[in-house]
Amino acid sequence: MITLNNISKNFGSFKALKNIDLEVRDGEFLALLGPSGSGKTTLLRIIAGLAFPDAGNVAFNGDDVTNLKVADRKVGFVFQHYALFKHMSVADNVGFGLSVRARAMRPSKAAIRARADELLDLVQLGGLGGRYPAQLSGGQRQRVALARALAVEPQLLLLDEPFGALDAKVRKELRRWLRQLHEQMGLTSIFVTHDQEEALELADRVVVMDHGVIEQIGTPGEVYMLPGSRFVSGFVGDTNSLPVTVSRGAVKFHDRPIALDTGSIADGPALLDFRPHDVEIANEQPGCLPLVVTGAYRRGGYWRVEGTVGGISQVIEVDLDAANPAPEPGQRLALRIRRGRLFTTDGVQA
Amino acid sequence: MGLTLAWLSLIVLIPLSTVFIRAAGLGVSEFIEVGFSSRAIAAYKVSFGTALAAALVNAVFGMVVAWVFVRYEFPGKRIFDALIDLPFALPTAVAGIALTAIYAGNGWVGQFLEPLGIKVAYNPIGITIALIFIGLPFIVRSVEPVLADLSAEVEEAALSLGATPVQVFVRIILPSILPALLTGFALALARGVGEYGSVIFIAGNMPFKSEIAPLLIVTQLEQYSYAGATAIAVVMLLISFAMLLFINLAQAWSRRRVDA
Amino acid sequence: MTIRSTHTTASIGLTVVALAFLGIFVALPLVTVFVEALSKGIAPYFSALVDPDAVSAIKLTLTVAAIAVPLNIVFGIAAAWAIAKFDFPGKSILITFIDLPFSVSPVVAGLVYMLLFGMQGWFGPWLREHDFQIIFAVPGIVLATVFVTFPFVARELIPLMQEQGRDDEEAALSLGASGFQTFLRVTLPNIRWGLLYGVLLCNARAMGEFGAVSVVSGHLRGLTNTMPLHVEILYNEYNFVAAFAVASLLALLALVTLVLKSILEWRLGYAHRSAGH
C-alpha cells in the first residue's frame, strides 16, 4: 500500500501541490486525472522519487521512503516520451536496469538477454530485440519503455501520460492491451492522464485533481455519476451548466420553474449541471426547459442537438434518441431534465 | 548556379589545385628531400602533437563547459556564454600577443610558473595553450545542442532503473554526445594544425623544438623557396585529410546506430 | 535532504571548473590586451593610434573588408539559393568545397596565391611585364581575405534557405511577381537575420585575418600593412604599448561582434548556433 501524507510542493511562488493525502491499494490501477498545471505529474514524480516534497511524507507498505532516491524505491517509471536510450538496441534498453546492478547482484549477460527476450514477448515485441528505438513505431516504443520498467521487477508501476504521444487508433488498442496486462500481472499501477475517457476506461479508481488539490477520489462510475464538485462535473464527461436561482425549495431558470430536487442548497444564485444524455422530450408542461434548436447531427444511436435556452447567449448540447425525427433548426423542444446536480456559484456541491 | 561554380572555382578550387600541381612538378626525390627534411618532420610533430593535445584538453573541459551552460543557471551566464565565442571573433594576432604577455617568463602568469620550473612561452606548452584558446568554441558549440536535446527524462529513466550517476554519464550521456564531440574535436584539430597567428608569438619558433609547420612554410617563402613551401603544404594537407577521414569514419560509426 | 544537497555540490563544482577554465583561457587574454595597451597611460595609447602608419593600416583594413565582405555576400546568397532551391547531382560535394577554406591553414591560403601570382608563380612574369601587381599589394590582400572568409555567408544561409523551401517563392510567382521582385520581397526578408549573422562573422574574420594576409602582403609599412600585421610589426620592435593599442581596437571590434551576435542569436531563436568557424 502506498500512503501519501499531507504532501505539499512549491516551485518558486507557484503552489504545485497543497496538502495531498492519498492511499493507493495493493494491486489497483489508479488514474491521476486533471488538466495541465493540476499537479498530477508532480505528484507522480514525488511517488517515484524523481521529485521531493517540501512537506509531508511518502510511505510504501508502512516504510517511510520520503528521502529515498528513485534508484532505491523499486518503482518502474514509464515516461511520457518513452525516454528510450537511442544508442542502445531494444534488448539492451530492456536489460539496462539489470546490467547496472552491483556486480554481486548482476545476472550474467546471457541471463539478462534471456530476461529481456522474455519481457519483449510479454509486450508482444518478440524478435525485435536487435532493433534500435529509431526503427520502431510510437506504439512499439511505448511497449519497449514498459518492458524496460518491468525488467527490474518493481513493486509499483508509474506511467506518465502513457498514451499522450500516440495517434487515436493506436491509443485505443494500447489502452485495452495495458488493461489486460494489468489484470494479468496484478502490479499496483498509477498513471497520469488529462484524458477523462482514458481514466474512466482504464482505472479502478480515479483521482481528479485541479490546482494542486484533489477534487474527488472514486470509481469511474462515482466520478461520472456523482461528481463531487462543479470542477469534476465539468472536467469529467460533457456537461451543460445553467445559471439558476434557488428559492424556497424551487429551482428557477429565467423565472421559469425547473422540476428538480434542490437538496440542501441555500437560497440564492446557483449552477445547474446536467449531462447531455440526462434529458428527455416532454410535452409542454410546467418544469420543462424550452430549447430552440440551432443544429443537430447523428452521433451513433442518438441525435446530438445544439440549441439555445433562455435567449441566444446560453448554448447547450443534448442527446435525443435517434427514434425521434431529426430536429430542425428553429424548432422548439420542451426538455425534462432527468438528472441534474446543483452547485453553489463557488463550485461546491449542494 | 553558373555564377556559384565559376566563383568557387576561381577563388578556391583553382588556387588550391595549384599547390598539388606544383608539388607534382617537383619530382619524387626533391619532394621527399624538402617535404620530409628532418626540420620539416620536427615541425609536423610539433604542429600535430600540440593540436592533438589541445583538442584533447578541450574535449574534456569543453564538455564540462557545455554541460554547465546547458544544465545550470548562474549569474552572468549570458556574458560568459558570449565569451565562449571570443576565439571566433578575436583576431588571432591579438590573441597571440596577449597570450605571450601572460605566459612569458616575466608575464602575468609566467612569473609565477617560471620559479616552479615550468616554462610555458617559447615552448610546445605555450603553443598548446594558444590552440586551447582557438579550439574551445568548436567543442562547446558542437556538444551544446546535443546535450540540450538530451531530455532530462532519459537520465531519470536510467536513474529509475537503478543506475548510479557515474553509470548514467558513462552509459547514457557520453554515447549520446560522442558523435557531436568527435565533430567538435575534428574541427578543433583541423583549425589547430593550420593555426598561425595566435601561435607564432608564443611559440618562440625554435627549429626542431617549437617551430610549427605553417611557420616553416612562411620561412621557406621568405627564402624564395616555393618548392619547399609547396612540399610542406602538401604533406600537411594530406596528413590533415587523412586524420579528418579517420575521424569522420569514427563519427559515422558512432552515429550510425543513433540515427538508424 | 541528502540527495539534493549532493546535487548542488556537484553542480557548483562543475560550474566553478567551467568558469575558471573560461576565465583563464578566454577572458584573461582579452583583459590583458586592454591592460597592456593602457599600461603607460592614456597619452601613449592615443598617440599610437594616430601614428600615420597605424592610420594607414586602419584604412587598409577597412578597405579590404569593404571589398571582400560584399563579394562574399553576393556569392553566399547565390550559392545558398542554388543549393537550397534546385536539385542537381554533386550537391553535397559542392557544399564540401564551399567549406574547404575552413579546413585549410591560412598560411596555405596565402601560399596558393603566391604560387599563382608571385614572382616565381604562373602569372608572375606576365603580370610584371604589364606592370600590374597582385602579390605584395592590395589586390593580393583582398584575394587572400576573400579566400579565408569565403564560407561564412553561404554556410549560414544554406540551412536557412533549405528549411524555408520553395513554397513562399512559388506563391509569389503564382501571384504574378517577377523573379527579381520575388527575391527582393519574399526571399530576402525571410533570410535577413541569418544573412546579417553571416555578414557579421565574415566581417570579423576579414578585418582580423593574419596568416593568409601576412604571406601575400610583403609587410610594406603604410602601404600593405593591415591592422593585424601592424600589430605584429610593432610587437616585434618591442613597441608593446603601441602594439597592444592597435590590438585593443581589434579586440573592441571582436566585442562589438559578440554583442551583435548575441542579439542576432536571440532574434534567430536560441537553437541557432553555428559551430563551424
Side-chain angles (χ1 to χ4, degrees):
Chain A
M1 192 167 72
I2 317 292
T3 317
L4 303 184
N5 183 14
N6 203 21
I7 298 282
S8 292
K9 175 78 178 174
N10 304 327
F11 295 109
S13 61
F14 176 70
K15 289 182 163 51
L17 293 172
K18 302 168 202 162
N19 310 98
I20 299 286
D21 290 310
L22 179 65
E23 279 192 359
V24 186
R25 299 168 196 153
D26 283 337
E28 87 171 322
F29 206 1
L30 187 81
L32 300 179
L33 173 67
S36 54
S38 61
K40 57 191 191 303
T41 296
T42 305
L43 189 62
L44 192 77
R45 291 170 61 83
I46 285 174
I47 297 172
L50 290 169
F52 296 90
D54 297 328
N57 51 58
V58 184
F60 288 3
N61 297 321
D63 300 330
D64 189 330
V65 297
T66 313
N67 290 331
L68 231 47
K69 283 184 289 189
V70 60
D72 303 325
R73 286 198 191 182
K74 294 203 72 171
V75 297
F77 201 104
V78 177
F79 291 83
Q80 187 174 3
H81 303 289
Y82 324 132
L84 295 181
F85 309 133
K86 281 189 277 187
H87 59 283
M88 289 183 198
S89 70
V90 165
D92 287 344
N93 263 282
V94 176
F96 182 83
L98 299 174
S99 73
V100 293
R101 285 192 180 164
R103 193 156 291 150
M105 295 160 62
R106 193 190 309 157
S108 72
K109 277 203 167 130
I112 292 175
R113 178 68 209 220
R115 176 82 181 125
D117 286 341
E118 197 181 300
L119 281 159
L120 286 173
D121 282 339
L122 177 75
V123 300
Q124 298 169 356
L125 291 175
L128 295 186
R131 297 254 187 114
Y132 284 88
Q135 299 167 310
L136 301 181
S137 71
Q140 288 174 323
R141 287 181 207 176
Q142 168 68 277
R143 282 182 280 161
V144 174
L146 188 65
R148 184 178 67 179
L150 293 174
V152 291
E153 291 174 351
Q155 53 175 333
L156 173 66
L157 184 63
L158 303 169
L159 306 106
D160 185 9
E161 296 276 6
F163 312 106
L166 300 170
D167 59 55
K169 187 169 176 293
V170 180
R171 185 186 296 217
K172 216 160 185 127
E173 284 169 13
L174 257 177
R175 218 144 75 181
R176 198 165 307 142
W177 172 80
L178 187 63
R179 175 76 226 180
Q180 279 167 5
L181 193 71
H182 177 260
E183 274 159 19
Q184 189 183 328
M185 296 196 310
L187 183 61
T188 311
S189 308
I190 305 173
F191 73 103
V192 156
T193 181
H194 64 271
D195 181 345
Q196 42 97 11
E197 206 181 307
E198 204 166 281
L200 297 183
E201 183 182 330
L202 273 180
D204 297 322
R205 285 197 303 157
V206 179
V207 178
V208 187
M209 298 184 65
D210 186 41
H211 289 108
V213 299
I214 293 179
E215 290 274 336
Q216 189 174 359
I217 306 176
T219 64
E222 287 165 355
V223 168
Y224 187 79
M225 299 304 287
L226 303 166
S229 68
R230 213 350 251 136
F231 173 79
V232 177
S233 164
F235 191 73
V236 181
D238 294 344
T239 297
N240 296 302
S241 193
L242 295 178
V244 295
T245 47
V246 177
S247 65
R248 281 170 286 154
V251 181
K252 283 186 175 174
F253 174 66
H254 285 246
D255 292 332
R256 191 180 258 276
I258 307 285
L260 209 68
D261 179 18
T262 56
S264 57
I265 195 165
D267 283 3
L271 289 168
L272 167 60
D273 278 22
F274 60 97
R275 307 265 183 217
H277 52 76
D278 281 340
V279 297
E280 61 193 7
I281 295 183
N283 295 322
E284 188 85 35
Q285 57 177 248
C288 276
L289 195 61
L291 175 83
V292 181
V293 176
T294 55
Y297 59 95
R298 188 180 281 279
R299 205 175 173 185
Y302 54 89
W303 295 109
R304 170 57 63 100
V305 183
E306 288 170 9
T308 55
V309 288
I312 55 164
S313 61
Q314 189 68 51
V315 179
I316 65 168
E317 292 181 326
V318 295
D319 294 340
L320 298 176
D321 196 276
N324 291 305
E328 296 291 332
Q331 189 182 347
R332 291 174 63 93
L333 297 173
L335 299 175
R336 193 174 73 81
I337 297 173
R338 279 194 305 228
R339 191 189 300 114
R341 303 187 72 78
L342 286 166
F343 298 96
T344 58
T345 44
D346 57 8
V348 179
Q349 199 198 340
Chain B
M1 187 64 233
L3 171 76
T4 307
L5 265 183
W7 186 240
L8 178 71
S9 308
L10 217 58
I11 296 292
V12 179
L13 300 182
I14 294 173
L16 263 185
S17 60
T18 58
V19 185
F20 291 93
I21 295 169
R22 278 296 270 255
L26 280 180
V28 177
S29 62
E30 197 191 349
F31 183 85
I32 290 177
E33 194 183 314
V34 288
F36 291 97
S37 68
S38 55
R39 186 173 169 187
I41 290 175
Y44 302 143
K45 281 186 185 160
V46 172
S47 274
F48 286 93
T50 52
L52 207 60
L56 285 172
V57 170
N58 274 333
V60 174
F61 286 95
M63 204 158 58
V64 174
V65 171
W67 176 268
V68 165
F69 277 81
V70 170
R71 290 301 165 91
Y72 306 138
E73 292 302 323
F74 48 88
K77 183 170 168 179
R78 288 187 67 128
I79 292 170
F80 277 106
D81 188 43
L83 200 64
I84 294 173
D85 286 331
L86 182 72
F88 284 158
L90 193 68
T92 52
V94 178
I97 62 169
L99 288 169
T100 312
I102 295 169
Y103 292 103
N106 58 354
W108 292 18
V109 175
Q111 59 180 317
F112 301 109
L113 295 178
E114 194 140 85
L116 303 174
I118 305 170
K119 277 190 66 136
V120 175
Y122 317 130
N123 198 302
I125 300 177
I127 302 175
T128 308
I129 286 182
L131 297 184
I132 290 173
F133 172 85
I134 291 297
L136 180 69
F138 290 98
I139 305 270
V140 178
R141 296 308 186 209
S142 298
V143 171
E144 256 182 344
V146 183
L147 265 184
D149 272 355
L150 197 67
S151 69
E153 272 194 358
V154 171
E155 282 162 53
E156 288 178 348
L159 287 171
S160 79
L161 293 166
T164 63
V166 174
Q167 283 172 323
V168 173
F169 179 75
V170 173
R171 301 207 29 199
I172 307 297
I173 296 169
L174 200 56
S176 304
I177 61 173
L178 194 61
L181 191 63
L182 281 173
T183 305
F185 186 84
L187 291 168
L189 189 66
R191 177 71 199 265
V193 168
E195 180 55 26
Y196 178 70
S198 62
V199 173
I200 54 161
F201 297 98
I202 201 172
N205 307 327
M206 313 225 302
F208 297 101
K209 186 168 172 257
S210 61
E211 185 177 55
I212 54 167
L215 179 70
L216 195 55
I217 296 177
V218 173
T219 313
Q220 297 285 321
L221 279 178
E222 280 169 357
Q223 295 163 359
Y224 301 104
S225 167
Y226 282 25
T230 309
I232 295 164
V234 165
V235 173
M236 264 183 70
L237 286 173
L238 290 180
I239 301 177
S240 294
F241 286 153
M243 277 177 25
L244 290 183
L245 189 69
F246 174 74
I247 291 170
N248 273 331
L249 287 176
Q251 200 193 355
W253 172 80
S254 66
R255 176 165 283 168
R256 194 185 61 219
R257 301 180 302 175
V258 182
D259 295 345
Chain C
M1 235 143 273
T2 50
I3 316 123
R4 271 177 291 173
S5 61
T6 54
H7 218 92
T8 327
T9 319
S11 65
I12 290 174
L14 285 172
T15 309
V16 168
V17 169
L19 296 188
F21 190 79
L22 273 179
I24 291 171
F25 283 94
V26 181
L28 188 58
L30 182 66
V31 175
T32 306
V33 173
F34 293 100
V35 172
E36 290 285 330
L38 296 167
S39 61
K40 296 280 192 300
I42 298 283
Y45 176 79
F46 282 108
S47 72
L49 295 183
V50 297
D51 176 82
D53 288 342
V55 171
S56 80
I58 293 169
K59 278 185 186 157
L60 180 59
T61 291
L62 293 176
T63 310
V64 169
I67 302 170
V69 173
L71 282 177
N72 277 325
I73 292 176
V74 172
F75 169 77
I77 293 175
W81 174 277
I83 287 169
K85 315 275 171 178
F86 301 100
D87 288 316
F88 52 89
K91 204 175 192 175
S92 60
I93 297 177
L94 185 62
I95 298 177
T96 310
F97 280 151
I98 290 174
D99 266 353
L100 210 53
F102 276 157
S103 46
V104 169
S105 172
V107 169
V108 174
L111 169 70
V112 299
Y113 289 109
M114 291 293 278
L115 294 180
L116 280 174
F117 304 118
M119 293 297 224
Q120 302 174 43
W122 288 355
F123 304 109
W126 184 85
L127 286 169
R128 196 163 51 160
E129 265 171 42
H130 292 80
D131 204 22
F132 191 76
Q133 214 179 357
I134 291 181
I135 297 303
F136 304 149
V138 175
I141 297 174
V142 171
L143 275 176
T145 305
V146 171
F147 183 98
V148 294
T149 57
F150 194 79
F152 282 101
V153 176
R155 69 145 46 217
E156 213 50 64
L157 292 186
I158 289 168
L160 203 61
M161 286 174 102
Q162 271 176 338
E163 191 184 311
Q164 278 163 357
R166 295 170 223 186
D167 293 358
D168 288 9
E169 274 92 5
E170 281 168 0
L173 290 171
S174 76
L175 293 168
S178 72
F180 185 67
Q181 283 173 321
T182 304
F183 174 77
L184 218 57
R185 302 203 21 204
V186 177
T187 312
L188 208 54
N190 275 340
I191 59 168
R192 63 179 187 274
W193 299 116
L195 179 63
L196 221 56
Y197 191 90
V199 168
L200 189 68
L201 297 178
C202 179
N203 180 64
R205 183 71 192 265
M207 292 191 172
E209 178 50 30
F210 180 75
V213 170
S214 162
V215 171
V216 296
S217 107
H219 303 270
L220 303 174
R221 274 196 163 186
L223 286 175
T224 62
N225 240 0
T226 63
M227 286 169 77
L229 297 180
H230 193 57
V231 168
E232 185 198 16
I233 289 180
L234 293 170
Y235 190 84
N236 287 342
E237 289 170 347
Y238 301 101
N239 192 350
F240 294 138
V241 169
F244 278 104
V246 177
S248 74
L249 287 186
L250 290 167
L252 276 178
L253 166 75
L255 288 178
V256 170
T257 302
L258 287 183
V259 169
L260 293 176
K261 188 167 165 294
S262 299
I263 294 171
L264 281 175
E265 268 160 11
W266 175 75
R267 275 223 86 113
L268 285 161
Y270 181 76
H272 184 93
R273 269 272 163 67
S274 36
H277 331 119

